[in-house]
């Protein structure tokens, strides 16, 4: 997918809140270029977050993004990919679980639009969890809307809150919809946990018809764990409600055949 202005802004924001002390890995070798029509916005973002750099400080001759990520404070970035055709330093198929030597290794994993191209998403997400070190963070930027036929999937905030938060007990620091282009006429939309209300998120008129990212940032804590399964929030609430209602309708006496009459 590459790092455009929308992704750049999210990475700058992350750099003000989190600086990894261990290894950082980027899924796929992400390109970074500055589109002329948005060039002034890059400088505005840097000033807004109190960073002294200018937009051109981050560019590198081969068009990739390691320099950007290092200047933002994310360290010497390794690249993980299925193939080394773009110069990846770590070869791994995300359709398969990582080797044991990759588990708990990375303080920061940057998914700049890679998992949407992986067929076996449950295995890919479990693999990312396994590779994160305790206290480590994953930032993911993938399609939410408008990316038809770009990858195999588009994702929703329900995945973030259901899998990462409730099933894995990870901390969600950010979960939002971000228009790819800043001139689309739509703002960022921060998505709250639908498990708190038991109702699905209503996104109509909140996100535009154009290309929109789902951007989320999660932290693996000492209390995090892999789940046996994950349940969508509104169904889980309905099932739990039905179970509670069933227990309420039958009093202890009514359930005991010795107390039945007639």
């Amino acid at each position: 997918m590459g790092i455009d202005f929308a992704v750049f802004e999210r990475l700058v924001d992350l750099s003000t809140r989190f600086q990894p002390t261990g290894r950082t890995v980027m899924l796929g070798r992400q390109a970074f270029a500055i589109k002329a029509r948005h060039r002034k916005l890059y400088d505005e973002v840097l000033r807004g977050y109190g960073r002294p750099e200018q937009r051109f400080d981050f560019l590198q001759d081969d068009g990739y993004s390691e320099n950007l990520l290092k200047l933002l404070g994310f360290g010497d970035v390794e690249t993980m990919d299925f193939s080394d055709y773009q110069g990846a330093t770590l070869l791994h198929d995300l359709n398969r679980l990582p080797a044991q030597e990759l588990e708990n290794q990375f303080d920061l994993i940057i998914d700049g639009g890679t998992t949407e191209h992986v067929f076996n998403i449950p295995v890919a997400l479990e693999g990312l969890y396994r590779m994160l070190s305790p206290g480590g963070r994953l930032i993911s930027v993938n399609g939410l809307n408008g990316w038809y036929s770009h990858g195999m999937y588009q994702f929703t905030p329900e995945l973030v809150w259901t899998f990462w938060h409730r099933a894995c007990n990870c901390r969600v620091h950010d979960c939002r919809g971000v228009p790819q282009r800043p001139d689309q006429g739509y703002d960022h939309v921060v998505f709250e946990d639908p498990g708190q209300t038991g109702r699905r998120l209503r996104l109509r008129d909140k996100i535009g018809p154009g290309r929109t990212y789902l951007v989320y940032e999660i932290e693996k804590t000492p209390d995090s764990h892999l789940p046996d399964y994950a349940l969508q929030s509104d169904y889980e609430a309905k099932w739990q409600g039905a179970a509670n209602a069933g227990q309420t309708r039958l009093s202890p006496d009514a359930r005991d055949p010795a107390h039945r009459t007639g």
Side-chain angles (χ1 to χ4, degrees):
M1 187 176 287
I3 297 175
D4 57 16
F5 171 75
V7 182
F8 173 83
E9 189 272 335
R10 288 290 84 207
L11 289 172
V12 174
D13 173 77
L14 175 63
S15 75
T16 66
R17 297 181 287 102
F18 180 72
Q19 297 281 302
T21 57
R23 298 169 72 184
T24 294
V25 66
M26 169 173 47
L27 305 183
R29 196 174 181 203
Q30 303 295 324
F32 174 60
I34 295 174
K35 293 186 178 180
R37 67 176 178 271
H38 299 148
R39 62 186 183 276
K40 293 182 180 179
L41 296 179
Y42 289 84
D43 291 331
E44 291 177 10
V45 163
L46 291 169
R47 287 195 300 270
Y49 283 101
R51 298 198 60 102
E53 300 92 348
Q54 299 297 309
R55 62 185 183 273
F56 294 115
D57 294 340
F58 299 102
L59 296 174
Q60 60 189 67
D61 292 340
D62 60 7
Y64 289 107
S65 57
E66 288 87 356
N67 188 57
L68 163 68
L69 299 173
K70 186 171 185 177
L71 284 177
L72 288 178
F74 300 142
D76 292 320
V77 179
E78 302 171 66
T79 305
M80 177 176 289
D81 211 333
F82 181 88
S83 165
D84 63 356
Y85 81 110
Q86 288 181 318
T89 55
L90 296 169
L91 299 185
H92 171 60
D93 179 4
L94 289 171
N95 287 292
R96 302 178 183 277
L97 293 178
Q100 188 173 3
E101 57 265 25
L102 289 175
E103 293 196 5
N104 300 306
Q105 287 298 301
F106 300 103
D107 279 7
L108 178 61
I109 298 177
I110 300 171
D111 172 17
T114 294
T115 52
E116 63 193 5
H117 301 283
V118 178
F119 177 74
N120 201 335
I121 286 298
V123 170
L125 297 182
E126 179 179 342
L128 296 182
Y129 175 92
R130 288 179 179 275
M131 290 190 288
L132 272 180
S133 60
R137 299 199 189 189
L138 161 69
I139 182 169
S140 174
V141 184
N142 284 276
L144 168 65
N145 187 54
W147 294 90
Y148 317 120
S149 76
H150 177 79
M152 295 189 188
Y153 303 99
Q154 296 185 98
F155 299 115
T156 75
E158 181 69 51
L159 178 68
V160 181
W161 292 108
T162 291
F163 176 74
W164 288 111
H165 180 57
R166 287 193 301 282
C168 292
N169 201 35
C170 291
R171 184 175 295 122
V172 177
H173 289 277
D174 194 17
C175 181
R176 66 179 63 204
V178 179
Q180 182 198 24
R181 290 173 47 187
D183 53 0
Q184 283 180 207
Y186 285 83
D187 294 326
H188 293 200
V189 179
V190 176
F191 300 122
E192 303 296 336
D193 181 6
Q196 296 296 314
T197 63
R199 297 189 302 272
R200 293 180 186 176
L201 293 171
R202 301 292 187 258
L203 304 185
R204 185 174 179 178
D205 298 328
K206 293 182 179 180
I207 61 173
R211 286 184 165 185
T212 305
Y213 294 121
L214 174 67
V215 182
Y216 65 86
E217 175 195 338
I218 62 98
E219 177 184 352
K220 181 179 179 179
T221 74
D223 296 322
S224 299
H225 53 77
L226 284 169
D228 293 327
Y229 54 83
L231 299 174
Q232 186 169 331
S233 58
D234 58 316
Y235 287 120
E236 187 174 17
K238 290 183 176 73
W239 294 327
Q240 185 63 44
N244 291 340
Q247 292 174 3
T248 302
R249 284 195 297 270
L250 292 177
S251 67
D253 286 351
R255 290 194 295 269
D256 186 348
H259 292 275
R260 291 182 184 170
T261 60

